[in-house]
Amino acid sequence: MKFINLFRDTRPLDWLVLILVTTVSVASLFVARATSAKASDLVTVEVKGKIVYRLSLSKDTEVDVKGPLGITHVVIKDRRVRVTQSPCPEKICVRQGWISRGAIVCVPNRVVVTVGTEIADRSVDAITG
Amino acid sequence: MQSQDNLRIAILSAFAIGLHVVERLIPSPVPWLRFGFANIVILLSLILYGFRVAVMITLIRVLVGSLLVGTFLGPGFLLSFSGGLVSTTAMYACLRVFRAAISAFGLSLIGAFFHNLTQLGVAYALFIRRLDAVLYLAPAILFLGIITGSINGVATLAIIKRLRES
């Protein structure tokens, strides 16, 4: 199979699409950077949108949170956070490994672990918009 | 015509489901990486046999695939369902509007992009409700979509070329 020949089968619009989707992806990177709050020690663990733990990144600890599928095990160690056990089928949260900023999201068990987002207690209600 | 289409749907769905299940055996270094090889089959059927066949294969792939993998009716199923449906529709719309001005390569990128965008949107709307967390995941997922979309697009181009030659 002559691989190079396939490029003759592409059309100008293909490359426009490639440029467009790349632009949107890069833009999303900047938007994500801009919206992620300033660095802080706060680690929040949410289940179904409700904050169940507010922890400090500088204090090593381990917590279990109960989601719809079962127990998700969250570990804080050496100023990093990770999910070590989860009952979800895909284990994306576990495979994400250690993070020191950003978020670990487990969609099936509805668990969200965030690092460094210093926002007022959201357990009251969801902010819409 | 109808029964011929049904036969195509059956055979191509089997291919799509097979690819969907087998691709999970490939170890990947990044957790969000999904090759979406089934989209090669969807794209081929969209170009060769039209929207009805492609949508049927998408629905069968999502349904049977989730039963085999074990995510049926869970959040993962809803993401897969909405992503698949929007992705196939978006690819069809582009094919319909641009026709010969776009090839399987561009369509595959469109499909991957809308698949990911839909999944992020549905995950936010139904399951996460934390815009910052979803936005944090978006760049990685969208970039991976460009890579896998390109691979699937080139594969589809190669298959179409082969089919036309024979």
Side-chain angles (χ1 to χ4, degrees), chain A residues 13 16 23 27 30 37-38 43 58 60-62 84 87 100 113:
Chain A
L13 256 179
L16 187 69
T23 309
F30 284 106
K38 54 198 172 298
V43 176
S58 43
D60 292 0
T61 181
E62 299 186 15
T84 52
S100 52
V113 181

Side-chain angles (χ1 to χ4, degrees), chain B residues 65-135:
Chain B
S66 73
L67 285 172
L68 287 174
V69 171
T71 53
F72 183 59
L73 289 187
F77 173 76
L78 277 177
L79 294 184
S80 182
F81 182 82
S82 54
L85 216 54
V86 172
S87 151
T88 305
T89 311
M91 291 192 296
Y92 169 69
C94 285
L95 186 63
R96 192 73 194 274
V97 172
F98 301 119
R99 289 171 182 278
I102 194 164
S103 81
F105 182 69
L107 290 175
S108 176
L109 283 170
I110 296 269
F113 182 72
F114 276 92
H115 187 94
N116 289 331
L117 215 58
T118 308
Q119 294 208 330
L120 285 166
V122 172
Y124 170 71
L126 296 182
F127 305 117
I128 309 292
R129 311 259 15 140
R130 276 289 299 266
L131 197 57
D132 55 340
V134 174
L135 272 171

Side-chain angles (χ1 to χ4, degrees), chain A residues 29-42:
Chain A
L29 188 65
F30 284 106
V31 173
R33 282 275 164 82
T35 51
S36 75
K38 54 198 172 298
S40 89
D41 263 11
L42 180 68

